Structures are given as C-alpha cells and as structure tokens.
C-alpha cells in the first residue's frame, strides 16, 4: 500500500534540511484496532513482530487516513533513497494552568511567535510530536508542524535587542518552558533489558530462534545448545558494546545539563537558576571567569573569547562580538550573512574570557535549547546516523534472498521424497523446515562483524579511530580524495618570510625575516601589532597561528590584565599591546584594541579599531590581498600590485594584505558598522608567509597517484598559492597544463560569463587574467586590467605543447569558490565536465566544500575527505569516508580520526578498507559454499530417507565453519596499493562464476561418491558392517548381521550404537563434504593484491592444518566408539584412499579455476574489451564522451549563460550544522 499525498493529509517536515521528512496524518479506528489485537493473539505475537519491523503496516492496519490537523498518529518517511518509515503518536500539552485569562498572558494574542500560534483556543492546549529528540508543535494558522526550542529566524537585529534585551516576563517564560520542554541534551543510559529486547527482536535472531526450536523438536540438542550459546555470546557482546557507547555519550553531555546560570527577568531583575530551565528568548548574563555554555545564544552586548575545540577539534580560541543594532528589515541571520556565527555562542563550548562594554555586563539571548543546539545536532547525528547506501549491503540481502529461494526448491524436493515414501506429516514438515536452516547460514552476520572488528582494531593500533565501522568497507572503494591545504598538506604553522611595505603607492624594499634589524615604527608595524584576535590564556599567547607569528615578529606583548580608561570611550575592557623587553624603541606607551570585526571566510578579512594611548583612533585591516586592495583607495595601491602578488603566490607563499585609515574623533567605535570601517583604506603592503609542505605529503600523493586514486585540493587560500602547492606536492605533474576557470556575474543582468584561461608560468598576460580569477574586481583601469586575456601572440611551439597536453587529457582545472558558485547556478551542465579534471578549488567556504563533495558523489566517485579544521566539518560528514586530523581520540565531526596529524593515514585507511572488503567477499563466498555443500549432502541423503547425524552437523558447523569464520579475517592488508580497486558488488561475474563453479565441483564430487559407493562389491544397503567383515573374510556372517539391518536398529534393537543415520552413503558424503569445506576455505582465502599472502595468517593456517588432521584421522581411524558417536561406518582402506583422491582432484580443479580464471585480471579485461563492456559510472561515461570532443576544453573562450539561473540554495548546503556551516546566499 503506497502513499498518495492528498490535501492536508501530507506535508513536509524540515523542508530543505538534511533531516527532511514526509509526514502523513492518520486517525486510530476502534474496529481496526480490535481486529489487529485479535490477530496478535491468533498469530501468537507474529503479527505484532511484523508490525515492529514494518511500522507503516502497523499504521495502515490500525488507522484511517485523515488531515494532519485531526491526526492522533503520524507516519514519517525519510526523503532519501532509503525511504525509512517511523510511527509517532501525537501528544497534547496543556497550558491552561498558566493562562487563566487573556489579560494574564496578553502576548498570546499579539506576539508573532510559534508559541502564540500553537495554543488552541478555548482548550488552551498545544498539539505536539517528538521526532529524533526534537519537539514539533502544530501551528494552527500555517496548518503545519513546526520546530520549537529555537528562536524564530524572522527577527531583525534591532528586534532581538528590543524584544529580548530586557528579558522575558515570568508568564512568557512559564509558557515557553512548558511548550519547549527542558533545556537538556539528555542521552540517558539505555537499560540493559531494553537493549536485549531490541537485539533479540532483530530478524536474524528471530530466524535463529525458529531454527533452535526446530532442532529441539528433532532432538538436535547439542547443536541447538551450541547455537544458543553462540547467539547469546553474540547478543551479550553487542549489548555490552551498545551499553558502553550509551554510557560514553551520556558522560559526554551530562556536565552541560545542570549548570547554574544568571538570567534577567523583565521587571524582576537578575535571577539565578539551573540551566535546564532556560527557554529560547531568555536573557543570559555571562559573568567573568570560565563558563560552560548550556545552550546556543546570541551575544547582544560585550565581547567573549570562546574555546570551541569540543565541537570543532580546533583548540584556537575564537573571539565573539555582539550583534549590531542594525535598523533594517532583514532577518538578523541574513543581515549578518556568513558572519552570523561570530555573534553566536554555541552550546558545549567554554567561555574563557568576557569583556563588558559601557553597560558593564555581557549579555546574550538564548537562541536554541536542548537538541536544537549545535551540540545537540552533533549528538543526534551520532544517535541517528545516516544509513549508508553501499552495494555490498544491498547485495548481501539479495544473496540471502537467493539462498532462501534455493532452500524453497529443497523444501519442495524434501516434501515430495518423504511424502511419496509414506512418512508422517509431522516428520515431513520438520525435515522440510530443516532445509531452510541448512541453506541459510546462521553464522554469516557474526562472521562479517568479526572481520570489521579486526580491521577496526588494526586501525586503532595505527592511530586511526573509527566511530562508524560500516564505512570501513567503503574505504576500499575510494577513488577520489579531497584534501584541505593548510595543516593537512602543508605545515600547520606559517613562518614569517618577509614584509613588502608600500608608501605613496609604491612598493619599498622587502624586509626579510628573521632580520638583523627590527622593523621600523610606522603604520605597517602598528598593523602587525594590533590587527589580530590573539589573547593571553593560561599565560600563553593563543590564537590563529598566522596571527601569532605576525605578532611575535614585533617583539611586543599583550597586556590583558584589566580594564583601561581610554579617552572618549568610557571604561572598557580593551586589550592593550605594549613594547616588550626585546622591542625596538617606539614613541608610544602602548596601543589599545577597542573593537574587533573578526575574520570571516566569506569576507576573507578581519579588522580592528585601535587607539594609541593618548592618540587618535585608527582602523587596521588584514586579509586576502585581492580583497584588501578592493577596499583601498585606488591611488594608494601600487601599479605593479598584481605582478608582485603573483610573483610570491606563484612560489607558493601565503600572502596577506594590510591596510589602515584614521577615524574621525568623537565617534564611538561600537557604533560603527563594518561597511563604514572597511572602506576608503590606505594600502600598507604585503605580509609574506611561508607555508611548507609536510614531509610525508609528496610521497603519499605519489602513492595515491600510482594507485590511480585522484587527489583534489579544496582550500580557503589564494588560487595561485594553491596551484603552486599542488605542483610542489605532485598533484599536478610538471608536464601537465593548468587551466583557470573564471566565472563572473554580469552586472545589471541575471546572466553570467565563464572563461577558460591557460596558466603559463610567469607570463605577463596571465597576471592580467589572474586578477579576476583570484576575485579582483576592476576599480580603475589604471590598477586592474579587466579585458579578457587572449593569447594571439603566443609562439606556435607553446600552442602545440598546449594542444598535445590537452589532447592526452593531461590538464587540470583550477577555480575559486566564487566561480564554483556561479558555475553551479548558471552553468549547471558544465559542472560535471569541470569536476572531471578539476584539481584545485581555492577560496572555498565551508558550505561550498560540502557541496563540492556531494557533486563528486553524483558523478559516482567514492569520495574521501581529509581535513583538520572546523571549516571542513560539513565536508567530512558528507564524504563516503571523512578523515579528521585531530589530536582528539574521536572527532564527533567525522567517521575517522587520525591521531597523527598527517595524511599518511589516508593510504593506510584505503589499504585496510580494501582488505576488509575482500575479506567480506571471501566470507560471503565461503558461507555460501559451506551452506550449499551441507545442503547438497543432506538432499542426497534425503533420497534414501537418511540425513547427517547430530554430531556430524555439530562438527561441520562448530569445529569447522565457526572457527574458520573467526580466523579467516585475521589476514592483514597488503602493503602496496595496486592501481585498481576490489569489486564493489557481490553480484559480479567473477564472483558469481567462482561460487557457481565451486558448487558444481562439490555437487559432482558428492554425487560421484554417493553413486560410486553403491557400486562397490562390499556395499550393502542393509548391512552396515559388510565392508569390514568381508575384508576380514567373514562373509558367512553377513546374512545373520543383515537381519539386524537398518530397520531393526531404528526399532531400537541397537539403540546405543545406531540412531538410523549410519550408512555407507552417509559416511562417504559426510567425509567428502566436511573436507570440501576446508578446501573451499583455503581456495577462497586469497592474499595478494589486496591482502597479505595467506601464509602470513598463522592462526588460520594452524587451524586449517589442525582441522585437516582431525578429518583425515576420522577418515583413516577405525575406532568403534568414535565412529559410533560420529555416526560413521567402517569402509575398506581402498575406498578411503579413493575419497582422498576425489578431494585432491576437487582441490586441484578449484584452485586452478580460482587462479587461472577468477583471479586472472588480464582475461577479464580482454573479455570486457571483446564484448565492449564499459563502466556504467557517470564519470567514466563522461570521460569517454570528452575524449571524442575535440572542442573541449575551450581555451581563451568566453561563454554566456541564459538569463535564468538555477537556484542552488538547497544544493549548496551539504551537511548543515549551525556551528560550522553558513548561509552562502551572500557570495
């Protein structure tokens, strides 16, 4: 039964967000409910169990469709490819006790908030549902469920100051508290009984319970008991693991749930209360000293320095400034654009310093509470992980379905054989059901899990921690890795290399570091001393490594001890910098930093307002040179600015632009907007930083390149610096071409242009073209050349070289975040072509990084992302395998965390992923063969109304398969990465052929043994001792013994010695099938090229030798008691040798086929070529198309888009987390 979205019955929850869901309204119907309850009893709970697994069936059976307004039950469905359903009951919250009359709470009538829109009159009740720990209430006007626990986005900056600046009244607070619930990120420790029930109700364990009941009915006591013990062990291990995770998560959040805070109540002043009473809109007062934040809050007065390492993994203190009192109609978040998070204090972070302004207190308005906060969002991403869509897991289900279909054929065969032979109906049912338990291997999930656990353990030894084990197999498929640059490919710290000062619009001589003489006093020196966001924390200067290096070069010190009386500013907590003991003489006592506009990755700059003690106020700005130059007056920027900038960036230096201006006296620094401050600046010069490659970067990238794994750089740095680093690191080989892709919006219209420009090393034409590629907009033709660069005069040899490089596909695209955004909006059809050869993406914002990873995934790449900072958080979550280089054991932001901050972990993870993937395939193949071998043996014996004995099953299932399943996964990863990946799907021709051929070999051998044993001269159907007696010349006794034949023994005459299973066929088939399991295990345990050779797995080899020894002992030993226990009979030595020969032939055939056909890569490549098979991956298809396209890439050409742009607001988001992501609309 599907869902037809009818009017008012269907809506969308969290539209456009990562956790978007469809919601359907239903009403419980009494007669349907009664029928279902009757069904539960009649089916002995089976129907209830089915409804537990399929909540949508439960709702469809018990309820009727209705509008969401009338619904008492809602059905939710995810909008991703998994379409997972969940059922939620609608609850009612009463607020009548809080609102006795309209006068008592006048805000319910007028306040434009969800709280007033959710209260139903006259019942004064609120209708709500709780989904993934977040509460939604029914908006009676908008007719939809809306999230509560967060301040509405529509408030303007001035409205936040006006409405919430003096706090909520007691009435408002009470109503909000009841509707929102407590401000806690409550992750309770799940009781063991709950975990047990949840685990036991897993379909796999339910199937095992069915199997065990069947075995007890058939008196397979030992095996049933063994399976119970194994299952209980598996359940307890899983429950223990889940319990440990639950305890760990609980400890991670419990400290934030009860903190004493000070709030301001309207008309009632300040109050101390516990943090779980906070509601959105509350006014929080931050006191001096360290404070843990129990919610997300907007700073509305003062300044804070916060340690956000808990959320981002970056231990650099972050400066937060108060929300401006802008008087416009834009919502506050749109007004602040990407900078909004500079005003937001996030839950779970620690305030380490507060600086009050004129009001004397630091105040913040509570923005989000509970699971709506940044920390709550991260907790929910752990509690409700996004399911992984990986072919292996889909194929595993198909594989089990095939086995069940296989078992169904066996069941029909069993029913026919036993029914035709006149067996009792009960026996027929038991025997036929038994076939299912034989054909479907009960140990498969456990065996697969052990493989992943071993890999996880090996990774942990190498300093790589994993919080999402199911992604390990995915790492084996990675074929594209995105790397952040700074701190990932290059050293974290920058070294100050030089300073290029500028006076009267001319560059002066470069000042190199470390220099013999110190920097002279002047505007550039002042800029270096004050234009930063450094603080003194625990006796050390802390902050951005770039800022630290720049400040240390001045030899000044930060005096952060107390408030300073600054002329015209009143008493304020300004940071003052003073000359240190080693500093050169300066004509001032110190400089006070009055106000900061923190660094913004969208604006690519930061500014401060500073004042010399006793002097005038000045603005200092530093940032991306292209951006700083645009903010300066054209006459102060040197004419050779572009060429100088390119000279240094082309050598891989990180270049920072500096600028300043004087402020008019008498203006309060806090009243100025950022736009006013950062305009008409005077250009001061360029600060040149050296960013060295890490020692391991080049070898790792070369290893990945040799393994045909693409490397892509995604950075926030300058495009030319990024290209140079990519060349130095080996991402771009010296013979390959780099083509700059530049896209611009055409002013005054809705269209855009895109230009392809080859980047020639140190060619003057390129300097002109690069100005725009790096984001420089022309202000004056004297400073910037905006004409499109056309290389008409380039020599023919260069053209020929470019042509050759392009024809062979040896070219790389480089583009900036701005160009990427415009291409995504206006040239959507070109984006896949650009991504196919895109290697350098510079000046990328966090949201663009996430979007880029998702676009690569749309091309069917398996994408890994390796980064180290908060800016990469979204991309780390979105990628198939996100690897965070953080010193913390596990960064909450990514599935993998490497303790050593080096990209050497990337090939290590791919190696282990490939080994784990191949191990999974081996395990699948082995389990399929083991169950099929046993299944074929049993069906053969059923032909004679015989079967394997209990101990025979026990030996095969426990002593052979379980031990092999546990030890097969011990094989480590092969140290060399080969230039191809293991297959990604179970249902691939080589794998299927391997399974089918081995099944045929097993079937042939068992049938051959079964038939040939009956042709032997000593064979007797009724006398199971005839073989050994005839050998000993006791033929005359055969007739007397035959009278005590199989029938007599079944009747109980020899109850202790025979239970009806003993026969020559049984002995032959069982011994052949048991040793066949060992042969298959050996043949399938392949080593190279993805795993180490099998002989390195000592445990597995010893196990195989031991098992083979025991099996051969059973073949050749003639111990009556042992044979009697194992339901075996004595056969002549010649027949035993014949069986060994049969097994040897099977081993040889199996091994030969596996090596010569299945693992013969050249053969499969030849077959692909012969049958013209091409990869169906999107990027492979695109590659083939572009190879035929002589016009691609179009060099020195400009294309224009149609006037209609595609809105990419939704697609640019990637993983949306308020701490790290940002609104990209302003770009």
């Amino acid at each position: 039964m599907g869902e037809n979205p009818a009017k008012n019955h269907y809506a969308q929850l969290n539209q456009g967000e990562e956790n978007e869901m469809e919601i359907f309204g239903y009403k419980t119907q009494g007669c349907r409910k009664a029928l279902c309850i009757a069904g539960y009893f009649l089916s002995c709970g089976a129907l209830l169990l089915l409804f537990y697994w399929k909540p949508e069936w439960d709702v469809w059976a018990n309820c009727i469709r209705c509008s969401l307004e009338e619904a008492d039950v809602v059905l939710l469905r995810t909008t991703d490819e998994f379409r997972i359903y969940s059922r939620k009951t609608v609850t009612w919250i009463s607020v009548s006790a809080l609102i006795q009359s309209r006068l008592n709470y006048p805000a319910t009538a007028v306040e434009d908030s969800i709280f007033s829109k959710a209260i139903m009159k006259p019942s004064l009740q609120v209708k709500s549902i709780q989904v993934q720990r977040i509460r939604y209430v029914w908006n009676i006007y908008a007719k939809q469920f809306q999230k509560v626990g967060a301040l509405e986005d529509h408030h303007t900056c001035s409205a936040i100051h006006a409405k919430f600046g003096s706090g909520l009244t007691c009435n408002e607070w009470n109503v909000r508290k009841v509707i929102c619930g407590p401000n806690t990120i409550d992750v309770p420790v799940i009781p063991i009984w709950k975990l047990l029930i949840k685990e036991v109700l897993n379909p796999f364990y339910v199937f095992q319970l069915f199997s065990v009941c069947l075995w007890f009915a058939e008196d397979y006591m030992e095996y049933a008991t063994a399976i119970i013990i194994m299952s209980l062990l598996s359940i307890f291990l899983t429950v223990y693991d889940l319990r440990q995770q639950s305890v760990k998560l609980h400890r991670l959040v419990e400290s934030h749930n009860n903190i004493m805070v000070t709030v301001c109540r309207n008309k009632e002043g300040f109050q101390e209360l516990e943090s779980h009473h906070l509601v959105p809109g509350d006014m929080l007062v931050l006191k001096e000293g360290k404070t843990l934040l129990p919610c997300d809050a907007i700073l509305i007065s003062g300044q804070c320095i916060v340690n956000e390492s808990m959320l981002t993994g970056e231990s650099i203190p972050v400066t937060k400034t108060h929300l401006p009192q802008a008087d416009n109609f834009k919502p506050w978040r749109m007004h602040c654009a990407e900078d909004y998070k500079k005003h937001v204090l996030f839950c779970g972070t620690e305030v380490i310093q507060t600086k009050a302004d004129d009001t004397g207190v630091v105040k913040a308005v509570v923005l989000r509470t509970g699971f709506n906060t940044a920390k709550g969002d991260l907790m929910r991403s752990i509690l409700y992980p996004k399911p992984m869509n990986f072919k292996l897991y889909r194929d595993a289900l198909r594989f089990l379905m095939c086995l069940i279909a296989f078992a169904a054929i066996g069941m029909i065969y069993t029913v026919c054989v036993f029914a035709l032979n006149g067996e009792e109906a009960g026996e027929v049912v038991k025997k036929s059901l038994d076939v299912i338990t034989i054909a479907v291997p009960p140990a498969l999930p456990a065996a697969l899990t052990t493989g992943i656990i071993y890999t996880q353990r090996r990774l942990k030894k190498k300093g790589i921690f994993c919080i999402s084990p199911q992604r390990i197999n995915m790492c084996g498929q990675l074929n594209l890795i995105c790397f952040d640059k700074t701190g990932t490919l290059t050293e974290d710290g920058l070294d100050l290399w030089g300073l290029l000062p500028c006076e009267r619009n001319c560059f002066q001589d470069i000042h190199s570091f470390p220099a013999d003489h110190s920097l002279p006093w002047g505007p550039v020196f002042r800029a270096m001393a004050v234009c930063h966001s450094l603080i003194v924390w625990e006796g050390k200067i802390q902050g951005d490594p770039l800022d630290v290096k720049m400040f240390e070069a001045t030899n000044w010190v930060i005096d952060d001890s107390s408030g300073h009386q600054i002329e015209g500013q009143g008493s304020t907590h300004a940071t003052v910098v003073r000359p240190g003991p080693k500093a050169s003489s300066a004509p001032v006592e110190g400089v006070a930093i009055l106000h900061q506009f923190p660094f913004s990755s969208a604006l690519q700059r930061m500014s401060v307002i500073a004042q010399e003690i006793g002097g005038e106020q000045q603005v200092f700005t530093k940032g991306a040179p292209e951006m700083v130059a645009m903010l300066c007056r054209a006459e102060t920027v040197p004419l050779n600015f572009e060429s100088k900038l390119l000279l240094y960036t082309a050598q891989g230096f990180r270049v920072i632009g500096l600028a300043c201006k004087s402020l008019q006296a008498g203006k309060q620094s806090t009243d100025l907007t950022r736009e006013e401050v950062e305009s008409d600046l005077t250009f001061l010069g360029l600060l040149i930083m050296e960013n060295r490659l890490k020692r391991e970067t080049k070898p790792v990238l070369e290893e990945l390149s040799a393994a045909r794994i693409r490397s892509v750089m995604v950075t926030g740095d300058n495009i030319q610096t990024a290209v140079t680093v990519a060349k130095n690191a080996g991402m771009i080989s010296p013979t390959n071409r780099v083509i700059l892709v530049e896209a611009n919006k055409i002013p005054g219209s809705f269209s855009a242009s895109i230009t392809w420009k080859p980047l020639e090393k140190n060619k003057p034409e390129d300097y002109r073209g690069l100005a725009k590629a790096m984001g420089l907009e022309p202000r004056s033709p004297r400073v910037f050349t905006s004409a499109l660069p056309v290389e008409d005069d380039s020599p023919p040899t260069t053209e020929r070289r470019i042509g050759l490089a392009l024809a062979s596909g040896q070219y790389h695209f480089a583009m900036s975040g701005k160009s990427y955004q415009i291409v995504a909006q206006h040239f959507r059809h070109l984006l896949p072509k650009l991504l196919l050869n895109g290697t350098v993406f510079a000046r990328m914002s966090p949201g663009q990084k996430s979007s880029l990873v998702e676009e690569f995934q749309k091309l069917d790449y398996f994408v890994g992302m390796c980064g180290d900072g908060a800016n990469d958080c979204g991309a780390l979550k979105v990628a198939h395998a996100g690897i965070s280089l953080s010193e913390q054991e596990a960064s909450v932001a990514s599935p993998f965390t490497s303790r050593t901050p080096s990209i050497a972990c990337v090939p290590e993870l791919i190696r282990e992923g490939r080994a784990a993937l191949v191990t999974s395939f081996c395990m699948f193949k082995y389990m399929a063969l083991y169950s099929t071998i046993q299944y074929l043996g049993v069906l053969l014996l059923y032909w004679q109304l015989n079967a394997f004995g209990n101990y025979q099953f026990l030996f095969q299932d426990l002593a052979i398969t379980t031990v092999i399943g546990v030890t097969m996964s011990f094989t480590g990863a092969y140290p060399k990465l080969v230039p191809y990946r293991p297959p990604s799907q179970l249902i691939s021709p080589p794998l299927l052929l391997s399974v089918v051929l081995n099944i045929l070999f097993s079937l042939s051998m068992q049938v051959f043994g079964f038939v040939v044993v009956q042709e032997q001269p000593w064979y007797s159907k009724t006398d199971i001792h005839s073989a050994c007696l005839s050998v000993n010349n006791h033929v005359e006794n055969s007739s007397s013994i035959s009278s005590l034949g199989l029938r007599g023994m079944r009747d109980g005459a020899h109850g202790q010695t025979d239970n009806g299973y003993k026969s020559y066929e049984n002995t032959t088939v069982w011994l052949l099938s048991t040793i066949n399991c060992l042969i298959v295990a050996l043949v399938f345990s392949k080593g190279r090229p993805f795993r180490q050779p099998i002989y390195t797995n000592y445990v597995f080899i010893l196990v195989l030798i031991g098992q083979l020894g025991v099996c051969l002992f059973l073949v050749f030993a003639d111990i009556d008691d042992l044979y009697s226990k194992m339901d075996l009979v004595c056969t002549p030595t010649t027949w035993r040798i014949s069986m060994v020969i049969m097994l040897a032939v099977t081993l040889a055939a199996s091994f030969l086929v596996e090596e010569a056909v299945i693992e013969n890569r050249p053969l499969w490549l030849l077959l692909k070529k012969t049958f013209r098979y091409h990869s169906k991956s999107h990027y492979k298809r695109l590659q083939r198309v572009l190879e035929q396209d002589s016009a691609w890439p179009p060099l020195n050409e400009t294309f224009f888009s149609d006037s209609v742009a595609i809105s990419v607001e939704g697609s640019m988001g990637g993983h949306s987390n308020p701490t790290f992501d940002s609104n990209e609309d302003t770009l």
Side-chain angles (χ1 to χ4, degrees), residues 31 47 130 415 482 521 668 728 912:
C31 58
L47 185 64
Q130 187 134 336
V415 170
C482 295
W521 174 256
Q668 282 280 67
N728 294 344
E912 288 294 351

Side-chain angles (χ1 to χ4, degrees), residues 84 876 922:
I84 298 164
L876 288 169
C922 290

Side-chain angles (χ1 to χ4, degrees), residues 276-297:
H276 64 85
H277 293 305
L278 288 173
V279 296
D282 254 335
M283 166 60 61
L284 205 59
V285 178
L286 298 167
K287 299 194 170 170
E288 280 191 28
K290 289 186 180 182
T291 321
L292 265 179
L293 281 162
C295 60
D296 287 0

Side-chain angles (χ1 to χ4, degrees), residues 18-40:
E18 193 195 15
N19 56 342
E20 184 182 81
M21 288 181 178
E22 293 170 316
I23 180 169
F24 304 92
Y26 286 90
K27 196 188 281 180
T28 311
Q29 201 181 36
C31 58
R32 282 179 171 230
K33 184 128 186 126
L35 280 170
C36 286
I37 291 168
Y40 301 155

